[in-house]
Amino acid sequence: MPRLVVLSEGLTGRTHELKTDKVTIGRVEDNSFQVPDGSVSSHHCEIYVKGSEVWVKDLGSTNGSFINGQQITEAQLRPSQILRLGQVEIRFEGDTPAAPQKRVIDHTQVIPQGIKLNELDQTAKVATNPAFEKKSNKGGKIFLAIAIVVAVLIVGAIIVLLMGVGQK
């Protein structure tokens, strides 16, 4: 797969494969290929595939875009050529990519039909299947019973205390 390989010191070895038909290169994070160097503009250039060719378009960068030392505004990029953005040199490697494949549009349509009479029996069988039965809540019932007993004991204790205070 064709790719860009940074050659400049400090960034040596950074690569970006050309998987899409348009790649933006620049210093900031929202680019497809970020090159964090002060001589590279925030949105320096874009690389795009046009048929079986790869093209570079300068996006009005401050320090310019160059292919093999020649300043360009828009030019074809060929394998082994050096693209210089500001002070950063990048080599284009690999074969020229094949034309991007067009997406196949799915023409599947969903037609609402509802449920048919003969399917009603199958639905009833699923409903009686023990795997789909409602689970019992024994733990909740035990907790409720204990809470009621505790509440009755507390109310009884309060009544006993009030009666004891009233007799004094």
Side-chain angles (χ1 to χ4, degrees), residues 24-98:
T24 57
I25 302 175
R27 189 178 66 246
V28 295
E29 294 177 10
D30 64 345
N31 288 288
S32 307
F33 184 31
Q34 181 186 12
V35 180
D37 184 87
S39 67
V40 176
S41 294
S42 57
H43 297 96
H44 200 101
C45 70
E46 107 183 342
I47 296 185
Y48 59 94
V49 177
K50 188 188 263 185
S52 63
E53 301 172 341
V54 176
W55 287 77
V56 179
K57 180 180 180 183
D58 186 84
L59 298 176
S61 64
T62 304
N63 295 318
S65 298
F66 301 81
I67 294 179
N68 289 345
Q70 295 281 327
Q71 187 165 9
I72 56 107
T73 53
E74 187 171 6
Q76 185 177 358
L77 185 62
R78 293 184 176 87
S80 300
Q81 287 186 321
I82 304 296
L83 171 65
R84 183 167 52 89
L85 309 177
Q87 298 300 316
V88 177
E89 290 189 341
I90 301 170
R91 182 176 55 234
F92 175 55
E93 291 183 349
D95 298 331
T96 304

Side-chain angles (χ1 to χ4, degrees), residues 119-133:
E119 292 175 343
L120 284 175
D121 292 335
Q122 293 173 352
T123 306
K125 289 176 186 173
V126 169
T128 59
N129 186 337
F132 294 100
E133 289 180 4

Side-chain angles (χ1 to χ4, degrees), residues 97-135:
Q101 294 181 1
K102 294 185 179 180
R103 295 181 185 169
V104 177
I105 299 172
D106 185 6
H107 295 288
T108 304
Q109 292 182 349
V110 176
I111 302 171
Q113 293 180 344
I115 193 163
K116 297 178 180 143
L117 280 174
N118 62 350
E119 292 175 343
L120 284 175
D121 292 335
Q122 293 173 352
T123 306
K125 289 176 186 173
V126 169
T128 59
N129 186 337
F132 294 100
E133 289 180 4
K134 185 177 178 184
K135 307 240 184 231

